[in-house]
Amino acid sequence: MKKIIIIGSGGAGKSTLSRKLSDITGIEIVHMDKLFWQAGWVSITREELADKVKEIVLTDSWIIDGNYSGTFEIRMEAVDTIIYLDFPTIVCLWGIVKRFIMYSGKERPDVTEGCKEKIDWEFFNWVLTYRRRNRKKLLTMIDKYSENRQIFIFTSRSQVSSFVNKLQKEPS
């Protein structure tokens, strides 16, 4: 595992898992939210994001967490490990509420400085409908890029914990 992507709904725990994997492996994390958002939740263009991702995937190792479907193909072609957090919607909704409470009025470490934590209707609705809108497409894309790659699809937080615990016990 040297080139890892972690995908899934908002609130699934992509950034938390990426930090744990980085601690275990020493591989640097790239948060898609940090690439895409500038201070005050001002976005860059999709083209600028794609250009940044193209540069990153050329490096030797990385953990990229986040979705941004316009860059899926770029990342999928470069990875050796795909992790999909395929959690029930209610788990993800609880995740964004919990995160909002934890970081209310503050900035998370996985977003750009100047982007205070918020939940608005657009984001809530995105999480609410994420699985129904994206699951089939994601599974199809994962299948398309499955050859010569490690694939991990987790459907619960306990599966993720077991995975992390197993990695911690493995010799480097």
Side-chain angles (χ1 to χ4, degrees):
M1 287 196 313
K2 294 186 75 150
K3 296 183 176 188
I4 305 163
I5 62 168
I6 303 172
I7 54 178
S9 177
K14 296 178 299 294
S15 295
T16 300
L17 177 57
S18 67
R19 282 190 297 275
K20 289 177 182 177
L21 291 180
S22 179
D23 289 346
I24 294 166
T25 63
I27 298 172
E28 185 177 339
I29 305 168
V30 176
H31 301 286
M32 291 296 291
D33 282 342
K34 211 169 207 171
L35 291 180
F36 185 69
W37 296 106
Q38 300 174 83
W41 295 104
V42 175
S43 66
I44 62 173
T45 67
R46 303 285 176 188
E47 294 78 19
E48 290 171 308
L49 181 64
D51 289 342
K52 287 182 176 191
V53 171
K54 286 174 186 173
E55 285 181 33
I56 291 163
V57 299
L58 294 175
T59 61
D60 289 337
S61 62
W62 35 261
I63 299 168
I64 300 177
D65 79 28
N67 293 291
Y68 298 89
S69 60
T71 67
F72 272 155
E73 297 277 342
I74 299 166
R75 291 180 283 153
M76 291 285 197
E77 288 175 3
V79 301
D80 60 40
T81 306
I82 300 168
I83 300 173
Y84 174 29
L85 303 181
D86 185 18
F87 294 170
T89 301
I90 192 71
V91 171
C92 298
L93 289 172
W94 171 244
I96 65 169
V97 170
K98 183 177 159 190
R99 182 171 70 195
F100 177 74
I101 292 166
M102 183 183 305
Y103 289 102
S104 184
K106 302 177 203 162
E107 298 159 352
R108 295 190 331 254
D110 53 310
V111 294
T112 304
E113 195 172 310
C115 293
K116 303 249 187 246
E117 185 62 22
K118 65 177 185 167
I119 296 179
D120 56 18
W121 172 247
E122 182 181 1
F123 181 60
F124 183 86
N125 191 52
W126 181 78
V127 173
L128 182 66
T129 60
Y130 178 87
R131 198 163 195 259
R132 181 171 26 96
R133 284 181 298 106
N134 296 294
R135 185 173 191 270
K136 186 175 180 180
K137 287 185 285 189
L138 285 171
L139 291 172
T140 299
M141 184 169 291
I142 290 168
D143 186 57
K144 176 181 174 183
Y145 288 98
S146 62
E147 192 172 323
N148 300 318
R149 290 170 176 84
Q150 291 186 88
I151 310 292
F152 300 96
I153 299 174
F154 299 117
T155 57
S156 70
R157 296 202 190 281
S158 63
Q159 289 177 336
V160 173
S161 292
S162 294
F163 172 72
V164 169
N165 289 337
K166 181 180 175 195
L167 287 178
Q168 288 171 328
K169 292 175 183 171
E170 289 180 358
S172 301

